[in-house]
Amino acid sequence: MAEEKGMSKLIFTVFVIVLLAFLFFHFYKVNNIEKQYQATMKTITAQLKEASKEIVSLKGEVDVLKLKLEIASIINEVAKNNFGIAEDKINALVSKLEAKKHKNIDEIKKLKEQIDILFTKKDNNQIIEALGKLQKVIEQQ
């Protein structure tokens, strides 16, 4: 009987040691998985920040291209001698830039005044040249 009790204690001790070994292994694996998760999240967060910066940059480029397209449309109207339509378009463009609070709005307004004077003279070449200057000022964001 004493031998059975000794054997039972030995089996119980071995069982507890194996159970503790499994428990230790489990916590070790969970800790590794958590570290991998944190590293992955850090990487994803960095990638999202980079992508966000790139999106902002691309939005700025798209806005500049839209403004260039509007100026090209005005130049097209001037080339067709549609000065009234061109003047309306340039007024709308300057109003839009003023609403967006463009940083060079004062210089843009001065160029618009010069262009308005050129519209009265109906000199296509000078108007187109002034619109080119306007485009360069708008691009300086």
Side-chain angles (χ1 to χ4, degrees):
M1 181 105 172
E3 225 173 86
E4 278 184 24
K5 279 188 176 183
M7 190 65 124
S8 294
K9 283 184 180 181
L10 180 65
I11 291 173
F12 179 74
T13 305
V14 169
F15 177 74
V16 168
I17 291 173
V18 169
L19 187 62
L20 287 174
F22 279 130
L23 190 61
F24 174 76
F25 180 73
H26 172 73
F27 285 129
Y28 177 76
K29 282 301 231 180
V30 168
N31 191 26
N32 281 343
I33 290 171
E34 184 179 353
K35 285 180 183 177
Q36 285 177 339
Y37 173 76
Q38 288 173 352
T40 302
M41 288 306 296
K42 192 180 286 185
T43 303
I44 289 173
T45 303
Q47 288 174 344
L48 284 174
K49 285 181 183 178
E50 187 65 31
S52 178
K53 288 178 186 177
E54 194 172 322
I55 288 171
V56 168
S57 172
L58 290 173
K59 281 184 180 180
E61 288 180 29
V62 166
D63 289 342
V64 168
L65 290 173
K66 284 181 182 179
L67 293 172
K68 281 182 171 182
L69 187 60
E70 285 186 49
I71 291 174
S73 170
I74 295 168
I75 291 172
N76 189 28
E77 294 300 331
V78 168
K80 292 188 217 176
N81 291 326
N82 293 336
F83 296 108
I85 294 172
E87 198 167 4
D88 291 342
K89 285 184 176 186
I90 199 160
N91 289 336
L93 176 64
V94 171
S95 297
K96 184 190 320 180
L97 291 172
E98 193 171 14
K100 288 183 177 181
K101 298 181 179 169
H102 192 279
K103 73 175 187 174
N104 296 333
I105 193 66
D106 294 331
E107 194 172 345
I108 291 170
K109 285 182 179 181
K110 287 178 187 174
L111 283 170
K112 183 201 172 291
E113 289 173 7
Q114 292 174 0
I115 293 170
D116 287 342
I117 293 169
L118 293 173
F119 274 131
T120 59
K121 296 178 183 178
K122 298 186 180 193
D123 186 352
N124 294 15
N125 293 331
Q126 286 185 341
I127 294 171
I128 291 171
E129 184 179 323
L131 287 169
K133 289 178 187 176
L134 179 67
Q135 180 175 334
K136 287 179 184 174
V137 170
I138 290 173
E139 289 175 2
Q140 296 173 355
Q141 289 188 358

